[in-house]
PDB file of all heavy atoms in Angstrom:
ATOM      1  N   PHE A  74     -13.654  12.906 -10.544  1.00 98.00           N
ATOM      2  CA  PHE A  74     -13.051  12.203  -9.414  1.00 98.00           C
ATOM      3  C   PHE A  74     -11.683  11.687  -9.701  1.00 98.00           C
ATOM      4  O   PHE A  74     -11.015  11.045  -8.839  1.00 98.00           O
ATOM      5  CB  PHE A  74     -13.963  11.035  -9.001  1.00 98.00           C
ATOM      6  CG  PHE A  74     -15.366  11.550  -8.678  1.00 98.00           C
ATOM      7  CD1 PHE A  74     -16.461  11.310  -9.560  1.00 98.00           C
ATOM      8  CD2 PHE A  74     -15.600  12.361  -7.554  1.00 98.00           C
ATOM      9  CE1 PHE A  74     -17.698  11.718  -9.283  1.00 98.00           C
ATOM     10  CE2 PHE A  74     -16.921  12.806  -7.285  1.00 98.00           C
ATOM     11  CZ  PHE A  74     -17.945  12.499  -8.163  1.00 98.00           C
ATOM     12  N   GLY A  75     -11.177  11.901 -10.933  1.00 97.00           N
ATOM     13  CA  GLY A  75      -9.841  11.398 -11.263  1.00 97.00           C
ATOM     14  C   GLY A  75      -8.729  12.175 -10.601  1.00 97.00           C
ATOM     15  O   GLY A  75      -8.900  13.264 -10.045  1.00 97.00           O
ATOM     16  N   GLU A  76      -7.568  11.600 -10.637  1.00 96.00           N
ATOM     17  CA  GLU A  76      -6.375  12.201 -10.026  1.00 96.00           C
ATOM     18  C   GLU A  76      -6.056  13.635 -10.439  1.00 96.00           C
ATOM     19  O   GLU A  76      -5.632  14.458  -9.645  1.00 96.00           O
ATOM     20  CB  GLU A  76      -5.183  11.264 -10.274  1.00 96.00           C
ATOM     21  CG  GLU A  76      -3.905  11.698  -9.556  1.00 96.00           C
ATOM     22  CD  GLU A  76      -2.769  10.718  -9.873  1.00 96.00           C
ATOM     23  OE1 GLU A  76      -3.034   9.498  -9.698  1.00 96.00           O
ATOM     24  OE2 GLU A  76      -1.714  11.186 -10.209  1.00 96.00           O
ATOM     25  N   ARG A  77      -6.288  13.945 -11.658  1.00 95.00           N
ATOM     26  CA  ARG A  77      -5.917  15.261 -12.195  1.00 95.00           C
ATOM     27  C   ARG A  77      -7.080  16.284 -12.298  1.00 95.00           C
ATOM     28  O   ARG A  77      -6.963  17.328 -12.779  1.00 95.00           O
ATOM     29  CB  ARG A  77      -5.281  15.161 -13.605  1.00 95.00           C
ATOM     30  CG  ARG A  77      -3.944  14.404 -13.545  1.00 95.00           C
ATOM     31  CD  ARG A  77      -3.358  14.235 -14.890  1.00 95.00           C
ATOM     32  NE  ARG A  77      -3.635  15.337 -15.785  1.00 95.00           N
ATOM     33  CZ  ARG A  77      -3.434  15.353 -17.132  1.00 95.00           C
ATOM     34  NH1 ARG A  77      -2.820  14.271 -17.660  1.00 95.00           N
ATOM     35  NH2 ARG A  77      -3.724  16.359 -17.828  1.00 95.00           N
ATOM     36  N   SER A  78      -8.220  15.879 -11.751  1.00 97.00           N
ATOM     37  CA  SER A  78      -9.424  16.704 -11.826  1.00 97.00           C
ATOM     38  C   SER A  78      -9.285  17.935 -11.038  1.00 97.00           C
ATOM     39  O   SER A  78      -8.708  17.996  -9.968  1.00 97.00           O
ATOM     40  CB  SER A  78     -10.629  15.905 -11.304  1.00 97.00           C
ATOM     41  OG  SER A  78     -11.769  16.743 -11.306  1.00 97.00           O
ATOM     42  N   VAL A  79      -9.821  19.012 -11.648  1.00 97.00           N
ATOM     43  CA  VAL A  79      -9.927  20.280 -10.970  1.00 97.00           C
ATOM     44  C   VAL A  79     -11.397  20.592 -10.656  1.00 97.00           C
ATOM     45  O   VAL A  79     -11.763  21.702 -10.142  1.00 97.00           O
ATOM     46  CB  VAL A  79      -9.295  21.462 -11.732  1.00 97.00           C
ATOM     47  CG1 VAL A  79      -7.825  21.222 -11.918  1.00 97.00           C
ATOM     48  CG2 VAL A  79      -9.972  21.629 -13.097  1.00 97.00           C
ATOM     49  N   THR A  80     -12.265  19.694 -11.000  1.00 98.00           N
ATOM     50  CA  THR A  80     -13.733  19.881 -10.880  1.00 98.00           C
ATOM     51  C   THR A  80     -14.230  19.191  -9.652  1.00 98.00           C
ATOM     52  O   THR A  80     -13.721  18.131  -9.268  1.00 98.00           O
ATOM     53  CB  THR A  80     -14.450  19.292 -12.115  1.00 98.00           C
ATOM     54  OG1 THR A  80     -13.796  19.820 -13.297  1.00 98.00           O
ATOM     55  CG2 THR A  80     -15.901  19.591 -12.148  1.00 98.00           C
ATOM     56  N   ARG A  81     -15.239  19.804  -9.058  1.00 98.00           N
ATOM     57  CA  ARG A  81     -15.806  19.235  -7.829  1.00 98.00           C
ATOM     58  C   ARG A  81     -17.311  19.198  -8.011  1.00 98.00           C
ATOM     59  O   ARG A  81     -17.860  19.907  -8.858  1.00 98.00           O
ATOM     60  CB  ARG A  81     -15.446  20.088  -6.652  1.00 98.00           C
ATOM     61  CG  ARG A  81     -13.916  20.088  -6.439  1.00 98.00           C
ATOM     62  CD  ARG A  81     -13.534  20.909  -5.212  1.00 98.00           C
ATOM     63  NE  ARG A  81     -12.105  20.977  -5.193  1.00 98.00           N
ATOM     64  CZ  ARG A  81     -11.464  21.516  -4.222  1.00 98.00           C
ATOM     65  NH1 ARG A  81     -12.095  22.137  -3.256  1.00 98.00           N
ATOM     66  NH2 ARG A  81     -10.145  21.569  -4.243  1.00 98.00           N
ATOM     67  N   ALA A  82     -18.003  18.467  -7.182  1.00 98.00           N
ATOM     68  CA  ALA A  82     -19.457  18.380  -7.249  1.00 98.00           C
ATOM     69  C   ALA A  82     -20.055  18.229  -5.829  1.00 98.00           C
ATOM     70  O   ALA A  82     -19.402  17.703  -4.931  1.00 98.00           O
ATOM     71  CB  ALA A  82     -19.912  17.232  -8.092  1.00 98.00           C
ATOM     72  N   LEU A  83     -21.210  18.800  -5.635  1.00 98.00           N
ATOM     73  CA  LEU A  83     -21.986  18.693  -4.494  1.00 98.00           C
ATOM     74  C   LEU A  83     -23.294  17.936  -4.815  1.00 98.00           C
ATOM     75  O   LEU A  83     -23.839  18.119  -5.932  1.00 98.00           O
ATOM     76  CB  LEU A  83     -22.395  20.051  -3.878  1.00 98.00           C
ATOM     77  CG  LEU A  83     -21.244  20.987  -3.391  1.00 98.00           C
ATOM     78  CD1 LEU A  83     -21.757  22.336  -2.999  1.00 98.00           C
ATOM     79  CD2 LEU A  83     -20.490  20.320  -2.260  1.00 98.00           C
ATOM     80  N   VAL A  84     -23.796  17.181  -3.858  1.00 98.00           N
ATOM     81  CA  VAL A  84     -25.107  16.459  -4.029  1.00 98.00           C
ATOM     82  C   VAL A  84     -25.976  16.972  -2.908  1.00 98.00           C
ATOM     83  O   VAL A  84     -25.533  16.993  -1.752  1.00 98.00           O
ATOM     84  CB  VAL A  84     -24.894  14.960  -4.035  1.00 98.00           C
ATOM     85  CG1 VAL A  84     -26.253  14.268  -4.019  1.00 98.00           C
ATOM     86  CG2 VAL A  84     -24.083  14.476  -5.215  1.00 98.00           C
ATOM     87  N   CYS A  85     -27.211  17.290  -3.271  1.00 98.00           N
ATOM     88  CA  CYS A  85     -28.199  17.658  -2.205  1.00 98.00           C
ATOM     89  C   CYS A  85     -29.141  16.444  -2.165  1.00 98.00           C
ATOM     90  O   CYS A  85     -29.635  15.994  -3.181  1.00 98.00           O
ATOM     91  CB  CYS A  85     -28.966  18.913  -2.643  1.00 98.00           C
ATOM     92  SG  CYS A  85     -30.195  19.421  -1.458  1.00 98.00           S
ATOM     93  N   GLU A  86     -29.384  16.022  -0.913  1.00 98.00           N
ATOM     94  CA  GLU A  86     -30.289  14.902  -0.674  1.00 98.00           C
ATOM     95  C   GLU A  86     -31.442  15.309   0.248  1.00 98.00           C
ATOM     96  O   GLU A  86     -31.309  16.185   1.080  1.00 98.00           O
ATOM     97  CB  GLU A  86     -29.498  13.761   0.004  1.00 98.00           C
ATOM     98  CG  GLU A  86     -28.400  13.178  -0.847  1.00 98.00           C
ATOM     99  CD  GLU A  86     -27.600  12.097  -0.131  1.00 98.00           C
ATOM    100  OE1 GLU A  86     -27.509  12.146   1.129  1.00 98.00           O
ATOM    101  OE2 GLU A  86     -27.092  11.239  -0.826  1.00 98.00           O
ATOM    102  N   GLN A  87     -32.546  14.652  -0.013  1.00 97.00           N
ATOM    103  CA  GLN A  87     -33.666  14.766   0.861  1.00 97.00           C
ATOM    104  C   GLN A  87     -34.023  13.300   1.362  1.00 97.00           C
ATOM    105  O   GLN A  87     -34.276  12.445   0.576  1.00 97.00           O
ATOM    106  CB  GLN A  87     -34.877  15.328   0.106  1.00 97.00           C
ATOM    107  CG  GLN A  87     -36.123  15.430   1.024  1.00 97.00           C
ATOM    108  CD  GLN A  87     -37.336  15.950   0.214  1.00 97.00           C
ATOM    109  OE1 GLN A  87     -37.541  15.549  -0.891  1.00 97.00           O
ATOM    110  NE2 GLN A  87     -38.083  16.804   0.839  1.00 97.00           N
ATOM    111  N   ASP A  88     -33.902  13.133   2.643  1.00 94.00           N
ATOM    112  CA  ASP A  88     -34.139  11.831   3.210  1.00 94.00           C
ATOM    113  C   ASP A  88     -33.303  10.717   2.561  1.00 94.00           C
ATOM    114  O   ASP A  88     -33.826   9.638   2.258  1.00 94.00           O
ATOM    115  CB  ASP A  88     -35.686  11.467   3.197  1.00 94.00           C
ATOM    116  CG  ASP A  88     -36.525  12.464   3.936  1.00 94.00           C
ATOM    117  OD1 ASP A  88     -36.054  12.987   4.945  1.00 94.00           O
ATOM    118  OD2 ASP A  88     -37.636  12.708   3.462  1.00 94.00           O
ATOM    119  N   GLY A  89     -32.090  11.049   2.321  1.00 95.00           N
ATOM    120  CA  GLY A  89     -31.123  10.146   1.741  1.00 95.00           C
ATOM    121  C   GLY A  89     -31.188   9.921   0.194  1.00 95.00           C
ATOM    122  O   GLY A  89     -30.454   9.165  -0.330  1.00 95.00           O
ATOM    123  N   GLN A  90     -32.170  10.621  -0.441  1.00 97.00           N
ATOM    124  CA  GLN A  90     -32.358  10.491  -1.853  1.00 97.00           C
ATOM    125  C   GLN A  90     -31.803  11.710  -2.541  1.00 97.00           C
ATOM    126  O   GLN A  90     -32.120  12.826  -2.201  1.00 97.00           O
ATOM    127  CB  GLN A  90     -33.826  10.395  -2.205  1.00 97.00           C
ATOM    128  CG  GLN A  90     -34.194  10.277  -3.617  1.00 97.00           C
ATOM    129  CD  GLN A  90     -33.814   8.961  -4.252  1.00 97.00           C
ATOM    130  OE1 GLN A  90     -33.728   7.926  -3.548  1.00 97.00           O
ATOM    131  NE2 GLN A  90     -33.640   8.890  -5.544  1.00 97.00           N
TER     132      GLN A  90
END
Side-chain angles (χ1 to χ4, degrees):
F74 306 107
E76 184 179 310
R77 295 180 29 192
S78 177
V79 297
T80 308
R81 299 179 185 185
L83 298 173
V84 173
C85 180
E86 297 177 330
Q87 180 185 39
D88 300 325
Q90 180 73 24

